[in-house]
Amino acid sequence: MIVADDAALFRVGVARLLGDAGIEVVAEVGDAPALLGAVAAHRPDAVLVDIRMPPTHTTEGLDAARTLAQRHPDVGVLVLSAHLEPHFALSIIDADSGGTGYLLKERVGDVDELTDALRRVVAGGVVVDPAVVAQLVGRRRVRNPLDALSDRERDVLAEMAQGRSNHGVGERLHLSEKTVEAYARSAFTKLGLVAGPDDNRRVLAVLAYLRG
């Protein structure tokens, strides 16, 4: 994989962390053009890119992620942000493509969570930081249909929106897979969402609803 961040210490530290976890880092770069060039040269399974890169430190990383989705759709892209910015996370989701994710930089310290997110985007999944999901789930609206959900259905929905399968949700919440399926069906019925066989589309549908 490739690590892209203009902060050299962070870049080197993440690369070492991933290396210790058994993930090969083939290149470390400090700006978006270098990232695009490195991907073309190395064709990695995934890239980890800071959302704010030189020269303006605004959305260069996000723009690079969009370019990679067009040029190299087989490469998983996990965008990192130092701040909770749901609108950026949703813009990634709106691309309607798998193999993408948005994670807060503070999660990088948890190597298990980071490597799990990377594996999911490599597998074509959608990963959204739990803090973003929590903010979306907790947002109030007039006649909020989420009010109809039980606490457990909310828990299942929040885990599902982070890109986890029924099996993964069950592991997180200590529930059987059949119980998760039951909660999911109930929640989808209450929210008017159609549960399909494609986990990616299911996650996108849930997040599309939550952002509305």
Side-chain angles (χ1 to χ4, degrees), residues 11 17 26 30 58 71 76 88 125 146-147 149 153 178 191:
R11 187 171 69 238
L17 188 71
V26 297
T58 54
R71 296 182 184 176
F88 284 143
L146 292 173
D147 291 340
L149 301 182
E153 288 167 347
K178 287 186 177 180
L191 298 177

Side-chain angles (χ1 to χ4, degrees), residues 37-57:
V39 170
H42 296 284
R43 299 304 296 268
D45 291 331
V47 302
L48 194 66
V49 55
D50 188 8
I51 204 166
R52 303 183 188 278
M53 303 267 278
T56 68
H57 291 90

Side-chain angles (χ1 to χ4, degrees), residues 72-151:
H72 307 285
D74 57 325
V75 176
V77 179
L78 186 59
V79 177
L80 294 179
S81 177
H83 307 287
L84 179 58
E85 299 168 301
H87 56 292
F88 284 143
L90 292 175
S91 72
I92 294 171
I93 297 164
D94 281 337
D96 196 26
S97 62
T100 57
Y102 176 96
L103 211 60
L104 291 177
K105 277 191 170 182
E106 64 189 52
R107 309 286 178 196
V108 171
D110 186 334
V111 65
D112 290 335
E113 186 166 4
L114 178 61
T115 54
D116 177 60
L118 285 170
R119 290 189 179 99
R120 280 191 277 152
V121 298
V122 168
V126 176
V127 176
V128 182
D129 194 277
V132 174
V133 175
Q135 188 171 107
L136 293 172
V137 170
R139 202 171 52 187
R140 303 296 297 177
R141 287 179 285 183
V142 176
R143 291 185 178 180
N144 189 349
L146 292 173
D147 291 340
L149 301 182
S150 69
D151 290 342

